Amino acid sequence: MKKKKLRILALGMAMVLSVSAFLTGCGGKGDSGRSGADTSGGAAENGSGDTDSGANDASGEIYEVVIQFPTLGDTPKDLQLVEDELNKITEPEIGVHVTFYPASAFELNNTTNMMVSSGEKLDLAMCMFEGGAQSYVNKGMLIELDDLVEQYGQDIVAAEGVAMSGGYYGGTLYAIPTEEKMGRVKVFEARKDLLEKYNIEYDEEKLYTLDELTEIFKIVKEGEGDKFYCVATCASEAAPYTNFSTADLLGASYASGVLMNYGKGTDEVINYFETEEYEKVCKVMREWMQAGYVSSDCNTVTDASLTQFQTGNFFGQFSNGEPDMLINHSSSLQAYLGTDVVGLRTAMPSSRTQDYQVTQWMIPITCDNPEKTMQFLNMMYAREDVVNLLYWGIEGVHYNRKEGTEHMVEYPEGVDRTNVTYSAVLNVWGDKLKDLVMEPSDDGYYDLMRNFNNSIEEQYTSDALGYCFNSEPVKTEYAAVTDVIKQYDSILGYGVVDPDEELETFRAALKAAGIDKVIEENQKQFNEWKAGN
């Protein structure tokens, strides 16, 4: 955490790299019990794969790896203690000294751009909630990783599997995902107590249509009254249509065209907003608005959906429905309302490239020793002791193993989540299926996650995994289309306006902004990618 000295980049172009604006909100979990680990199947105590090879280089020197440490604004008090403990492992075993560089998750993009453009030393940068590392690739800011992973990163490949597809651009690997979930599933999280109160039968493996949800909402709304709403929404969260979408975004966004049917059995890149699927959701959202199932200000309210859900004035919210999400949201609702949530599927468990672009590690061109940096990154995926040091801190100081359990931890006496002096609340560290867990998760978390990963059927695994659209050739049109979508998402996507009156206006605005040109470029790139794969 020492202040770094600026140095001159070998690449002269770096000084003219532009500084990009970063995300306006952060989806960090903030719940210490979020993820789980596989201690029984993890690497041996002294590491595995390539992590033990080549401790010090031929000169006997130890290489300093400067790595961003994402925070929610406050740097953990004991970050230096954890850094020191980590270096007791990395220095003798792989010849690496780790230096943490704390950076707010809200400013990661700006931080990375400024450090690289000024020539400041940075070896591992985090790309978080940006939809992948494309902007950095287009600026020439990143080192290619294919050969490095082949030589030094096989524990990464073993841990990430299909999720590695999220790090490719133009057929080249530029980023390393930090995923324990090999796909995603969209659900409507419903209060279990209200389902039971109104004798509504439910099946958590059934796919619920819009019409079926409408019938359920009608029953609950009639029973709970005018001041009660069925769906909590938030203006800064994705519009409801995304929860019913079968689109593969091809590593980009709805602005660049999509493959439908989860990316299976189709090669045609199309305008999602011209589809019957999108139109259907818009019309039903309008019906929900008029029936009072959503509030009249649903497209402008700024409180998170979960925060609203906790008030007791809502039946549910749209969400991801993987085991960790349902566990944590059930725990939250239990604390506030004394009930669990039930996940009613609105889309099938699926694997699409966009699922693996949430958090990714990158090696910038400011790294002088990519080999040593990759060795350290691989160690994070290979070793349970390293993963849990980074996530939980020092055993006996920041956490204790929970007696009578195999994988669970608890806080030491007098310590809780409000006063613990080390917390990696944004868990981006290596193989997250090697994490120890805290309540509300339990020893069964591993089985739940494995079962979820194994439940993703081939018919919902995109044929386009690993393809990521490069918007640079049409960046002007892409930006214009994105702006149009933002304008209409807030009204059409939430049912504020009648789609019979406004949908064609929206579609015309997309065409005027250049969506056809963007899709044509995407189709061209996809055809070339497919021919080579």
Side-chain angles (χ1 to χ4, degrees):
M1 294 181 295
K2 305 185 292 283
K3 184 175 180 60
K4 319 298 182 303
K5 295 181 179 179
L6 298 181
R7 59 188 176 86
I8 299 174
L9 281 176
L11 301 178
M13 51 71 66
M15 293 302 294
V16 297
L17 294 176
S18 62
V19 179
S20 303
F22 188 40
L23 70 166
T24 57
C26 178
K29 303 291 188 293
D31 190 308
S32 297
R34 190 197 62 75
S35 59
D38 181 348
T39 55
S40 63
E45 185 62 20
N46 290 326
S48 67
D50 296 312
T51 53
D52 290 327
S53 63
N56 296 350
D57 60 25
S59 66
E61 295 181 355
I62 291 177
Y63 181 69
E64 180 191 27
V65 169
V66 176
I67 178 174
Q68 288 177 342
F69 186 98
T71 73
L72 289 179
D74 295 326
T75 299
K77 179 180 177 181
D78 284 351
L79 184 58
Q80 185 66 57
L81 288 179
V82 173
E83 179 183 302
D84 293 341
E85 198 70 19
L86 179 62
N87 284 318
K88 291 178 183 178
I89 300 171
T90 60
E91 289 186 12
E93 294 197 24
I94 58 173
V96 164
H97 177 92
V98 177
T99 298
F100 291 132
Y101 190 106
S104 168
F106 302 99
E107 294 294 332
L108 276 173
N109 180 279
N110 288 341
T111 300
T112 300
N113 274 281
M114 287 189 289
M115 291 181 74
V116 176
S117 64
S118 66
E120 190 167 359
K121 178 175 173 57
L122 180 63
D123 298 278
L124 278 171
M126 169 53 54
C127 176
M128 181 176 287
F129 310 127
E130 297 182 66
Q134 179 185 130
S135 65
Y136 303 99
V137 175
N138 287 337
K139 296 172 187 174
M141 295 177 67
L142 303 182
I143 291 173
E144 297 179 5
L145 303 181
D146 295 272
D147 291 342
L148 289 167
V149 168
E150 177 67 26
Q151 187 169 359
Y152 302 106
Q154 290 307 298
D155 291 294
I156 296 172
V157 175
E160 291 301 312
V162 69
M164 292 293 289
S165 63
Y168 283 89
Y169 293 89
T172 299
L173 184 67
Y174 285 100
I176 304 295
T178 64
E179 281 294 341
E180 80 274 38
K181 296 177 279 194
M182 296 299 105
R184 296 290 189 273
V185 59
K186 296 292 186 179
V187 301
F188 177 76
E189 288 185 341
R191 285 175 51 173
K192 186 177 181 181
D193 61 336
L194 293 182
L195 289 171
E196 293 175 346
K197 176 180 179 180
Y198 295 107
N199 297 313
I200 299 171
E201 296 183 0
Y202 60 87
D203 181 349
E204 294 185 77
E205 295 190 0
K206 166 185 165 64
L207 182 65
Y208 282 79
T209 67
L210 284 158
D211 293 338
E212 288 171 323
L213 287 179
T214 300
E215 288 301 312
I216 293 173
F217 293 168
K218 181 180 179 181
I219 295 170
V220 174
K221 177 69 174 178
E222 289 177 351
E224 297 298 307
D226 291 341
K227 300 294 185 180
F228 186 87
Y229 300 100
C230 291
V231 186
T233 63
C234 173
S236 63
E237 297 171 2
Y241 68 83
T242 61
N243 294 277
F244 298 89
S245 173
T246 66
D248 184 332
L249 306 188
L250 297 172
S253 73
Y254 286 97
S256 53
V258 304
L259 297 181
M260 295 300 290
N261 194 39
Y262 301 94
K264 203 72 177 176
T266 177
D267 296 334
E268 183 182 5
V269 182
I270 67 170
N271 179 352
Y272 180 76
F273 303 102
E274 297 276 359
T275 65
E276 292 182 6
E277 179 179 284
Y278 174 72
E279 186 169 345
K280 170 72 172 177
V281 178
C282 289
K283 289 183 176 181
V284 171
M285 285 302 302
R286 180 63 175 170
E287 293 172 6
W288 290 358
M289 168 71 74
Q290 294 175 321
Y293 301 158
V294 296
S295 64
S296 59
D297 62 350
C298 65
N299 66 315
T300 59
V301 64
T302 56
D303 288 342
S305 295
L306 182 59
T307 301
Q308 298 175 66
F309 198 4
Q310 292 165 347
T311 66
N313 296 324
F314 295 86
F315 175 47
Q317 66 174 357
F318 290 113
S319 173
N320 276 36
E322 302 85 55
D324 59 325
M325 300 294 289
L326 293 178
I327 288 170
N328 278 280
H329 290 173
S330 279
S331 175
S332 174
L333 265 291
Q334 278 286 354
Y336 283 90
L337 304 176
T339 183
D340 292 330
V341 299
V342 172
L344 308 180
R345 287 181 179 175
T346 58
M348 294 300 293
S350 61
S351 295
R352 292 169 279 185
T353 300
Q354 66 246 32
D355 300 331
Y356 315 124
Q357 296 178 314
V358 181
T359 54
Q360 299 179 322
W361 288 110
M362 311 173 293
I363 300 182
I365 56 176
T366 46
C367 175
D368 287 328
N369 195 328
E371 293 78 12
K372 284 294 179 186
T373 301
M374 183 58 70
Q375 279 184 271
F376 169 67
L377 187 59
N378 189 72
M379 178 180 271
M380 288 201 307
Y381 289 80
R383 291 186 46 161
E384 179 191 326
D385 58 340
V386 171
V387 169
N388 284 291
L389 176 61
L390 288 163
Y391 185 31
W392 289 108
I394 300 170
E395 185 174 357
V397 178
H398 305 114
Y399 74 93
N400 290 327
R401 299 293 290 258
K402 189 172 183 178
E403 188 175 351
T405 69
E406 188 175 358
H407 308 299
M408 296 186 69
V409 300
E410 59 188 0
Y411 289 118
E413 185 176 354
V415 176
D416 59 32
R417 61 185 300 181
T418 67
N419 63 11
V420 66
T421 50
Y422 177 83
S423 174
V425 63
L426 295 172
N427 184 13
V428 295
W429 306 105
D431 181 1
K432 290 185 280 189
L433 283 180
K434 289 185 172 68
D435 290 340
L436 298 168
V437 299
M438 183 177 282
E439 292 182 346
S441 296
D442 57 31
D443 274 347
Y445 176 83
Y446 311 102
D447 292 332
L448 288 175
M449 188 56 70
R450 288 193 195 95
N451 289 340
F452 169 75
N453 288 339
N454 292 334
S455 75
I456 302 172
E457 300 177 23
E458 175 62 24
Q459 63 180 312
Y460 303 115
T461 298
S462 175
D463 294 332
L465 285 179
Y467 169 74
C468 295
F469 173 59
N470 182 358
S471 62
E472 186 68 13
V474 286
K475 60 183 179 182
T476 301
E477 293 82 1
Y478 183 70
V481 171
T482 300
D483 288 341
V484 171
I485 294 171
K486 289 178 181 177
Q487 176 185 349
Y488 282 89
D489 256 0
S490 62
I491 53 175
L492 273 171
Y494 289 88
V496 176
V497 297
D498 188 346
D500 289 337
E501 298 175 0
E502 296 293 335
L503 184 54
E504 289 309 315
T505 303
F506 174 36
R507 289 168 173 169
L510 289 172
K511 286 186 176 295
I515 193 170
D516 290 339
K517 183 177 179 180
V518 176
I519 290 174
E520 181 181 2
E521 175 63 28
N522 197 355
Q523 185 74 68
K524 174 187 173 185
Q525 292 182 25
F526 178 67
N527 291 345
E528 292 172 351
W529 173 85
K530 187 172 182 182
N533 286 271

